Amino acid sequence: MQHKQKVKYKHRSITFVIGEDKSTNKYYTFAAKYFRQHKMGENNKVIIAPMSFVEIMNYLNTIPTDERWDKVNIISHGNSWTGLAIKIIQDGPRTTLETVMEVQSNGLLPTLRPGIFDEQSHIILYACGLGLNEGLMYKLKEIFTTDISPKLTSTKLFNIFSAGKTTSKHSLAYFYNSFYKPNRYLGKHNLAQHLKERYPNVDIDWLAALKRKLPKHPGQPFSYKYYIPISWTEVYETSSERPKLKTEDDIITWVLDQPEFLNLVKEYDIPLNKYQWSVQYKNYTNSDGETKPAMRIKGKTVVMSVLKELVKPGTKETFVPSLDDEEFFMTL
C-alpha cells in the first residue's frame, strides 16, 4: 500500500502596520521599527500603509498557490469597546463587530480562498485590549477561516511600542480607567480619587501616575488619554413619531427606554452620565431606496487610562508573556 506523501509548502510571513501617527504617541513608528528589527516568521515582509480591513484580506489572497502564510501580524490602535482602528473599507468606519457584519451582509467582504493557510498559520492582532472583545474576535476567526482555521490571537492588555536603548521595544501594560465628558474635565485630583475608589486593591500613586505621560523606568505607572464614541440611529415611519430631544437629560431618558441601545451601552460598562450626548435629525435611505425620517444619537467620553507595564519579578525589565498564556491573551 502506497502512502501519499505530504506536500511541503514554502512559508512566508507578513506584518501590516496599519495607521499613521497623528500625535506625540509614535505607536506606529516604533511598531514598524520593531517588526523590521525582529523577524517574526519566515520570509517576513513589513507593509506600512493605511490599508482597510478589506484590503488586508484581498492582499492575503495574493499569496502564490505553492506558498502558505506562516505569521500574519496586524498592528493597529484598538480597544475592548470599539474594536480595531482599521477602517473596515476605504473611507469607511472602523472595524467593529457591527461594521464587519454590515459589510458582510452587503456583499462587500471578500472571501479568503482555500489554500492560503495551513496548520501552522497564526494571525496575531496587536491592538490594545482586543482580546477582551469576544464578539469581534469570534467574528474575525470566522472570516479568516477557509479550508483551514488559522490560530487567532490578541492581547487583553495594552500594547506599547516605544524606543529602547538600541532598538524599538514591545511591552504589555495593565490599564486602569476613569471616564469624563469631553466638555467637563474633572482635574487630576478628582480623577485620582475616582481611580482610588474604583481600584481599592491596586497599589498605585494615582495622582503621580496622572501627571506622568511616559515612564522614567519600566513598570512606572503613567497615563494615556483617548476617546470612545458611541452612536445609534433610530428610523421612524413619520416625522411626527420622531421625538424632540432638547437636552442631554432628554437623551439619557430616551436611551433608558431603548432596550437594544441600552444593551450596547451596558456592554461598554461606562456610566451614561460620563458621555457628552448630542442628537442629529436626518433622513435615512434604506437598501430599497426608500427614505424615512431618522434620528441619530451620539455619545462621546474621554478615557483616562493609567498604564503599568509588565516587568519581570524583582527587576525593572519589561517582558511579553507567551502568546499561549490565557491570562494575557485570547487565542481562538
Side-chain angles (χ1 to χ4, degrees), residues 122-293:
H122 194 176
I123 300 169
I124 307 166
L125 297 160
Y126 291 85
C128 299
L130 190 68
L132 297 173
N133 191 327
E134 292 190 9
L136 180 55
M137 285 288 288
Y138 275 101
K139 189 63 180 177
L140 295 178
K141 176 74 170 181
E142 173 193 314
I143 64 176
F144 279 125
T145 297
T146 59
D147 54 325
I148 294 288
S149 184
K151 188 188 294 186
L152 178 72
T153 298
S154 193
T155 181
K156 300 175 183 178
L157 304 187
F158 248 70
N159 272 300
I160 298 176
F161 290 101
S162 57
K165 290 182 179 179
T166 58
T167 179
S168 294
K169 68 171 188 174
H170 173 228
S171 60
L172 298 180
Y174 292 108
F175 57 93
Y176 308 94
N177 298 327
S178 187
F179 312 96
Y180 62 89
K181 292 183 178 184
N183 62 348
R184 196 172 298 172
Y185 177 55
L186 299 177
K188 289 183 174 61
H189 285 83
N190 284 330
L191 287 172
Q193 184 59 35
H194 287 172
L195 287 162
K196 183 178 180 180
E197 292 170 0
R198 192 170 192 208
Y199 305 100
N201 299 321
V202 177
D203 183 20
I204 287 179
D205 184 337
W206 300 110
L207 184 58
L210 290 168
K211 291 179 179 179
R212 196 178 294 120
K213 299 304 177 188
L214 288 172
K216 292 182 180 178
H217 58 76
Q220 185 179 49
F222 64 103
S223 61
Y224 177 63
K225 181 178 75 173
Y226 54 101
Y227 297 86
I228 295 294
I230 192 169
S231 66
W232 187 265
T233 299
E234 193 74 17
V235 181
Y236 298 89
E237 289 297 323
T238 64
S239 297
S240 60
E241 295 177 322
R242 189 169 56 182
K244 297 295 182 183
L245 307 178
K246 298 180 180 180
T247 67
E248 285 195 285
D249 286 341
D250 290 342
I251 295 173
I252 290 175
T253 300
W254 182 86
V255 170
L256 289 170
D257 198 36
Q258 308 300 314
E260 287 187 77
F261 188 25
L262 191 58
N263 283 338
L264 176 62
V265 175
K266 286 180 178 178
E267 282 182 19
Y268 281 26
D269 195 28
I270 301 173
L272 283 169
N273 62 1
K274 298 299 183 182
Y275 290 95
Q276 181 179 332
W277 293 101
S278 62
V279 58
Q280 291 179 327
Y281 294 97
K282 54 195 293 185
N283 289 326
Y284 173 81
T285 303
N286 61 27
S287 57
D288 296 326
E290 186 180 10
T291 300
K292 292 186 178 182

Side-chain angles (χ1 to χ4, degrees), residues 7-201:
V7 178
K8 290 185 178 180
Y9 294 99
K10 180 180 177 182
H11 286 85
R12 68 165 65 181
S13 293
I14 186 83
T15 297
F16 298 96
V17 182
I18 308 299
E20 299 173 330
D21 296 317
K22 298 178 181 178
S23 67
T24 56
N25 177 19
K26 300 300 182 183
Y27 181 81
Y28 292 116
T29 299
F30 289 130
K33 289 181 179 179
Y34 178 83
F35 283 100
R36 281 173 173 160
Q37 294 162 341
H38 299 80
K39 303 298 184 183
M40 303 182 72
E42 303 174 69
N43 306 307
N44 187 69
K45 181 178 181 179
V46 179
I47 293 180
I48 306 166
M51 299 170 70
S52 69
F53 199 84
V54 163
E55 288 173 306
I56 291 174
M57 294 184 70
N58 284 329
Y59 190 97
L60 293 177
N61 271 335
T62 65
I63 193 169
T65 55
D66 62 343
E67 297 182 7
R68 299 291 182 267
W69 290 114
D70 178 20
K71 295 279 195 313
V72 177
N73 303 308
I74 301 175
I75 293 84
S76 169
H77 281 304
N79 59 67
S80 59
W81 299 287
T82 56
L84 291 163
I86 302 171
K87 294 183 183 301
I88 183 66
I89 57 174
Q90 229 176 12
D91 300 321
R94 63 190 289 145
T95 301
T96 67
L97 174 60
E98 291 75 20
T99 59
V100 171
M101 292 175 66
E102 182 179 357
V103 168
Q104 192 176 35
S105 66
N106 291 333
L108 300 176
L109 192 69
T111 300
L112 294 177
R113 64 175 175 80
I116 67 172
F117 299 125
D118 63 14
E119 290 79 5
Q120 75 180 49
S121 300
H122 194 176
I123 300 169
I124 307 166
L125 297 160
Y126 291 85
C128 299
L130 190 68
L132 297 173
N133 191 327
E134 292 190 9
L136 180 55
M137 285 288 288
Y138 275 101
K139 189 63 180 177
L140 295 178
K141 176 74 170 181
E142 173 193 314
I143 64 176
F144 279 125
T145 297
T146 59
D147 54 325
I148 294 288
S149 184
K151 188 188 294 186
L152 178 72
T153 298
S154 193
T155 181
K156 300 175 183 178
L157 304 187
F158 248 70
N159 272 300
I160 298 176
F161 290 101
S162 57
K165 290 182 179 179
T166 58
T167 179
S168 294
K169 68 171 188 174
H170 173 228
S171 60
L172 298 180
Y174 292 108
F175 57 93
Y176 308 94
N177 298 327
S178 187
F179 312 96
Y180 62 89
K181 292 183 178 184
N183 62 348
R184 196 172 298 172
Y185 177 55
L186 299 177
K188 289 183 174 61
H189 285 83
N190 284 330
L191 287 172
Q193 184 59 35
H194 287 172
L195 287 162
K196 183 178 180 180
E197 292 170 0
R198 192 170 192 208
Y199 305 100
N201 299 321

